[in-house]
Amino acid sequence: MKRKWIIGLSTLFIVFMAILFIYYFKKGDDSRWQVALGGIIVSALPLLLLLAKRNPFNLPLIVGYYIAIFCTTYLGSIATFYLKHKWWDSTIHFYKGILVGLIGIALYKLWVPESARKAVSRPILFLFTFSLAVSSSVLWEIYEFTGDQFFTHTMQLGGNKDTMLDLLAGTGGGFLAGIYAAAKKVHL
């Protein structure tokens, strides 16, 4: 079932972003066609999960990934929610912090054998989940900085304040996911 969802959502998003890419490329809107091209690539990434012997990600995480793509690439950049709604950027970073934290839980379940999970303490599980979310926030800000240096010049319009608010939001989301992981450790 997950396989069908991945194929269906990937295809839907790839086609949607390809249409936007062609439309904005013909229009000469450099910023938007570049975002749409990036949207094609990130929409196709989950197809790599089809090559895995065991996909560790449940359906809500897979759908959550596509929600993040839609909210960042289409609504955020192409539909200019980042410019129209000051709260949009930090909200997305908060959401991504939670999402990556939950992905961390799935990776924990994949990488740590069930027989060894009892020996893993709640603080270690919290730290793993939290650190993964914070690291992803830092990497995302590096991506935004690099993108602004070479391509769009629109990702960090608020400069240092934007970066710090985004990092705080991603850290907050990761903190919540870490607390959830620690609290639910027995059931993981």
Side-chain angles (χ1 to χ4, degrees):
M1 176 152 162
K2 284 192 285 187
R3 185 177 185 80
K4 289 180 183 178
W5 274 93
I6 291 170
I7 293 169
L9 287 170
S10 290
T11 302
L12 177 70
F13 274 80
I14 290 168
V15 169
F16 178 61
M17 289 294 167
I19 290 167
L20 291 173
F21 170 77
I22 293 165
Y23 175 76
Y24 288 114
F25 187 81
K26 285 184 177 180
K27 225 176 148 182
D29 189 333
D30 289 344
S31 180
R32 287 189 173 126
W33 74 253
Q34 289 172 2
V35 170
L37 180 60
I40 293 169
I41 294 166
V42 295
S43 296
L45 284 177
L47 292 172
L48 295 174
L49 291 172
L50 301 177
L51 303 174
K53 289 181 183 176
R54 182 173 160 235
N55 177 354
F57 306 115
N58 61 23
L59 191 55
L61 275 180
I62 293 166
V63 171
Y65 175 79
Y66 285 102
I67 289 170
I69 291 173
F70 182 74
C71 289
T72 55
T73 57
Y74 179 69
L75 292 177
S77 296
I78 294 172
T80 67
F81 274 38
Y82 289 128
L83 299 174
K84 293 176 186 174
H85 309 289
K86 295 209 181 281
W87 53 267
W88 187 258
D89 189 30
S90 293
T91 303
I92 296 302
H93 281 274
F94 182 74
Y95 174 78
K96 284 184 195 172
I98 292 171
L99 181 66
V100 172
L102 295 176
I103 288 170
I105 293 169
L107 293 175
Y108 164 79
K109 289 165 61 175
L110 175 69
W111 292 334
V112 178
E114 195 169 337
S115 59
R117 290 184 200 156
K118 287 184 180 184
V120 177
S121 69
R122 288 178 194 264
I124 292 297
L125 181 56
F126 169 84
L127 191 59
F128 172 71
T129 306
F130 176 68
S131 297
L132 191 64
V134 171
S135 297
S136 73
S137 292
V138 170
L139 291 173
W140 187 262
E141 287 305 311
I142 292 169
Y143 159 76
E144 285 186 2
F145 175 79
T146 305
D148 276 353
Q149 295 303 306
F150 299 106
F151 303 108
T152 66
H153 311 291
T154 60
M155 290 192 263
Q156 292 183 314
L157 294 175
N160 189 45
K161 184 177 180 181
D162 173 76
T163 298
M164 292 312 299
L165 287 173
D166 293 349
L167 288 173
L168 286 169
T171 299
F175 185 77
L176 287 179
I179 288 174
Y180 173 80
K184 294 290 187 176
K185 180 192 175 299
V186 176
H187 303 292
L188 297 180

